[in-house]
């Protein structure tokens, strides 16, 4: 299983999946922050972004991810002040420039984004800025790996750990996982040679009956990682139970704001903790993210969706293998993915049969 959606994207972009022997099956993992952001957090973000006193800031890829009934892009289309930023520090600058507004940042992501989000909160605390807050949806990789391995349906025999996550956190957290579950984990980068070397190292371990952590991405990753970034995370966040979209709650799999920083918690500031959310029955993202189904298994479900239906949370390979997406059925026809060129053609033909 490649943990990260970026690894999946690189495998498919370079056609590596089609070159592998049939004995090797790539299983797409849960490493897409957009895919795994829970529906409840998206609904809370939409409720807050709809308020007239709020400037809501987010990375652009979250705007089209559906909540229970709408998305952030639609909120902006109806007049909401929803802005795309490339860093939480941009949101802090907005808060300084607009003291008459409440600026909220949607803090999603894995360990890669957590340090910057932590720095933003610590910065506004130091500056005494009171009109800034965040919706926290930060998640952690090691508890997700353990949850996958503990599932009775798990058939994963090895992991390719995401190099950018390990560049921040190191790989020391993976050592007890390999020992307990006796499964190889190889840290890789995202270039084709990185991924192929990672696969080779994984298979070599399996054939030798070994279960170790190997670091293929030595040019960027050390065992202890970036300790300064880790200290920032620990100053702002603490491990909390976190719900993953389509998967459920995984103990200690998220980062939540520390109690002393609760004044920067947007959920508390705007009292949106008790919103009712309802997932579409067509969404199989969770099963795909756990390797139980493939992305193209979502296609038959589209038969039950009326043409031009606005809300179709299925998946998208552009960011990750199981990203919930919105849009019309015509849009979905552009997002079909399969493991081989022949399969892609077949799925394209099936899609044309379905939607014309």
């Amino acid at each position: 299983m490649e943990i990260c959606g970026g690894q999946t994207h690189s495998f498919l972009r370079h056609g590596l999946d089609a070159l592998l022997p049939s004995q090797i099956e790539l299983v797409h993992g849960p490493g897409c922050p957009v895919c795994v952001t829970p529906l409840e957090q998206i609904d809370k973000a939409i409720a807050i972004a709809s308020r007239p006193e709020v400037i809501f800031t987010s990375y652009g890829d979250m705007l089209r991810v559906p909540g229970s009934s709408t998305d952030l892009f639609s909120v902006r289309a109806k007049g909401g002040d929803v802005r795309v930023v490339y860093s939480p520090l941009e949101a802090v600058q907005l808060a300084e420039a607009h003291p008459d507004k409440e600026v909220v940042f949607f803090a999603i992501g894995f360990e890669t984004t957590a340090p910057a989000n932590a720095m933003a909160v610590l910065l506004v605390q130091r500056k005494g800025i009171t009109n800034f807050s965040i919706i926290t949806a930060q998640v952690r990789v090691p508890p997700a790996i353990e949850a996958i391995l503990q599932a009775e349906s798990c058939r994963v025999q090895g992991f390719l750990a995401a190099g950018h996550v390990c560049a921040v956190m190191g790989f020391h957290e993976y050592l007890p996982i390999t020992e307990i579950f006796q499964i190889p984990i190889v840290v890789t980068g995202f270039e084709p040679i990185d991924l192929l070397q990672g696969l080779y190292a994984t298979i070599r371990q399996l054939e030798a009956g070994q279960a170790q952590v190997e670091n293929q991405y030595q040019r960027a990753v050390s065992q202890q990682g970036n300790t300064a970034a880790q200290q920032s995370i620990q100053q702002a966040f603490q491990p909390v139970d976190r719900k993953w979209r389509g998967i459920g709650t995984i103990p200690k799999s998220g980062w939540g704001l520390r109690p002393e920083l609760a004044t920067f918690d947007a959920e508390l500031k705007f009292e949106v903790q008790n919103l009712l959310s309802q997932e579409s029955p067509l969404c199989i993202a969770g099963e795909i993210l756990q390797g139980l189904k493939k992305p193209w298994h979502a296609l038959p479900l589209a038969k039950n969706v009326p043409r031009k239906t606005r809300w179709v949370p299925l998946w998208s390979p552009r960011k990750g293998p199981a990203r919930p997406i919105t849009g019309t059925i015509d849009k979905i026809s552009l997002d079909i993915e399969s493991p081989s060129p022949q399969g892609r053609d077949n799925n394209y033909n099936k899609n044309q049969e379905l939607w014309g």
Side-chain angles (χ1 to χ4, degrees):
M1 170 179 278
E2 73 272 12
I3 294 292
C4 178
Q7 293 170 315
T8 302
H9 183 80
S10 188
F11 269 121
L12 299 176
R13 178 182 183 187
H14 297 285
L16 301 180
D17 58 319
L19 298 176
L20 296 175
S22 59
Q23 297 92 331
I24 300 174
E25 179 186 356
L26 298 175
V27 182
H28 308 318
C32 170
V34 175
C35 305
V36 301
T37 298
L39 183 69
E40 290 81 357
Q41 295 302 91
I42 297 171
D43 284 342
K44 292 171 185 175
I46 290 169
I48 294 172
S50 301
R51 299 173 69 109
E53 75 274 26
V54 168
I55 298 175
F56 193 90
T57 59
S58 170
Y59 299 128
D61 50 6
M62 281 303 300
L63 264 61
R64 286 192 178 277
V65 179
S68 294
S69 60
T70 187
D71 58 18
L72 289 168
F73 189 80
S74 298
V75 172
R76 186 166 75 173
K78 293 178 180 178
D81 196 347
V82 178
R83 306 189 188 187
V84 174
V85 294
Y86 295 94
S87 162
L89 298 180
E90 289 185 44
V92 174
Q93 292 172 350
L94 281 172
E96 290 182 294
H98 300 276
D100 57 324
K101 292 281 191 176
E102 287 288 339
V103 176
V104 181
F105 177 69
F106 201 174
I108 70 160
F110 287 82
E111 291 91 334
T112 49
T113 58
N117 295 339
M119 289 295 294
V121 173
L122 297 174
L123 178 62
V124 295
Q125 181 192 40
R126 189 171 73 232
K127 288 189 171 185
I129 298 171
T130 59
N131 64 326
F132 176 87
S133 57
I134 65 173
I135 300 179
T136 309
Q138 297 279 175
V139 286
R140 303 173 59 223
V141 170
I145 292 179
E146 294 185 65
I148 290 171
L149 291 172
Q150 289 169 350
E152 294 182 359
S153 55
C154 176
R155 56 192 183 90
V156 177
Q157 294 179 299
F159 287 94
L160 299 182
H164 53 1
V165 169
C166 294
V168 176
M169 302 302 292
F171 57 83
H172 57 92
E173 295 178 295
Y174 299 135
L175 298 176
I177 297 177
T178 56
E179 184 176 350
I180 294 171
F181 295 96
Q182 287 298 297
I183 191 166
I185 299 177
V186 180
V187 180
T188 75
F190 298 88
E191 297 297 326
I193 190 65
D194 294 327
L195 297 169
L196 291 176
Q197 286 183 343
L199 277 177
Y200 175 68
T202 305
I203 294 167
R204 188 175 54 195
Q205 283 197 45
L206 290 171
E207 290 184 339
Q210 298 175 340
Q212 301 172 353
V213 178
E214 284 189 53
N215 181 16
Q216 181 279 332
Y217 204 31
Q218 294 182 17
R219 63 185 186 275
V221 172
S222 65
Q223 180 168 335
Q224 294 306 316
N226 186 331
T227 54
Q230 294 169 32
Q231 288 173 4
S232 296
I233 294 174
Q234 292 167 2
Q235 288 176 18
F237 300 124
Q238 61 184 6
V240 296
D241 298 346
R242 180 71 69 196
K243 187 173 183 179
W244 296 50
R245 188 165 192 171
I247 297 177
T249 300
I250 301 176
K252 304 299 181 185
S253 66
W255 296 111
L257 281 170
R258 289 191 170 278
E260 59 268 28
L261 297 172
T263 185
F264 303 111
D265 188 333
E267 294 182 44
L268 299 176
K269 179 178 281 190
F270 297 98
E271 299 181 346
V272 291
Q273 302 97 313
N274 299 318
L275 293 180
L276 295 178
S277 300
Q278 184 173 7
E279 184 65 273
S280 166
L282 296 176
C283 182
I284 61 171
E287 294 167 273
I288 296 173
L289 292 168
Q290 297 173 80
L292 305 178
K293 290 187 177 180
K294 297 295 185 182
W296 56 89
H297 289 147
L299 181 58
L301 299 175
K303 291 180 179 178
N304 300 320
V305 181
R307 185 178 177 84
K308 302 293 185 183
T309 296
R310 184 67 183 86
W311 301 109
V312 191
L314 297 174
W315 55 269
S316 169
R318 290 180 176 178
K319 179 68 177 180
R323 177 186 178 187
I325 60 172
T326 61
T328 67
I329 296 302
D330 291 340
K331 171 66 167 55
I332 292 174
S333 68
L334 300 176
D335 288 335
I336 297 303
E337 170 195 8
S338 86
S340 67
Q342 181 62 42
R344 280 192 285 270
D345 291 342
N346 290 340
N347 270 341
Y348 176 80
N349 293 333
K350 290 177 183 177
N351 197 44
Q352 293 304 303
E353 292 173 6
L354 280 169
W355 310 112

